[in-house]
Amino acid sequence: MPPDSVSIKLSIESREKEAKSAYSICNARGRILQEWLSCYGVEEVSASSISLKPTSWYNQGVQEISKNKSHGFFANISYHIISRDTKRVDDLVLGLVTSGEVEHLHNVSFHTKRLKEIRETVRKDAMLNARRKADIYAEAAGSAVGEVLQIEDLDPDRWLWS
């Protein structure tokens, strides 16, 4: 089933000596990103999380500090974008990454409004196929298929890792 929308999650970051500066710069870059997305035709953009925390500068990069010895601040604003133009996803993703405003492109996922309808069709087909299979086994055994005793349907939106 071809998708009818794409969901993109990304984040913008800023590191500055003052908390207000780090946050303000991150916000300003977010406004630039939203203007760019508007020009691209994307209307659904929302900040999904904001983080502002003290940092300590090390040779290997920025690390969180465990005590109140702040050497600067790290601001991060994550955005969730939804686009209905699924044919230009490659251009959108490449544009976001090369815009100079996005530090991390976390996730690109595709969706369809017809998901409920598709799942209903697949479930009906699964039951018909199970019945055909049961009839074959029963016939080979010289028996007949009886009534359904149990049906188990796993939540397809939940990962089952053990």
Side-chain angles (χ1 to χ4, degrees):
M1 173 55 55
D4 51 35
S5 67
V6 62
S7 169
I8 301 172
K9 294 181 181 177
L10 56 87
S11 62
I12 294 174
E13 299 174 354
S14 177
R15 291 174 182 85
E16 297 293 324
K17 289 191 183 243
E18 301 295 326
K20 186 174 182 177
S21 296
Y23 186 69
S24 294
I25 289 170
C26 214
N27 249 342
R29 292 178 66 206
R31 284 191 298 277
I32 292 169
L33 175 69
Q34 288 180 346
E35 287 175 22
W36 184 88
L37 287 166
S38 177
C39 291
Y40 189 85
V42 175
E43 296 176 5
E44 292 185 53
V45 181
S46 61
S48 57
S49 69
I50 299 172
S51 172
L52 181 63
K53 57 188 169 187
T55 60
S56 182
W57 300 91
Y58 294 99
N59 289 335
Q60 298 299 319
V62 178
Q63 307 238 341
E64 283 187 59
I65 60 171
S66 57
K67 301 198 181 209
N68 294 330
K69 298 178 185 176
S70 177
H71 295 287
F73 289 85
F74 172 78
N76 177 296
I77 302 178
S78 295
Y79 290 90
H80 184 199
I81 298 163
I82 298 175
S83 174
R84 306 269 180 258
D85 189 352
T86 59
K87 292 183 171 132
R88 295 179 52 199
V89 173
D90 292 342
D91 293 338
L92 177 58
V93 168
L94 290 171
L96 286 166
V97 171
T98 60
S99 71
E101 303 304 330
V102 176
E103 268 73 33
H104 300 284
L105 184 67
H106 300 287
N107 186 318
V108 177
S109 57
F110 297 89
H111 307 276
T112 177
K113 289 180 185 175
R114 295 186 54 218
L115 187 58
K116 183 178 178 182
E117 170 192 337
I118 293 165
R119 284 185 177 158
E120 287 174 2
T121 301
V122 168
R123 286 180 175 118
K124 287 176 186 175
D125 289 347
M127 285 302 297
L128 290 172
N129 288 332
R131 177 62 192 226
R132 282 188 209 108
K133 192 177 199 180
D135 285 338
I136 291 169
Y137 283 121
E139 183 182 337
S143 184
V145 174
E147 65 183 61
V148 175
L149 299 178
Q150 179 180 347
I151 298 173
E152 186 174 343
D153 188 13
L154 301 178
D155 181 359
D157 293 327
R158 184 175 174 193
W159 291 100
L160 300 175
W161 299 101
S162 50

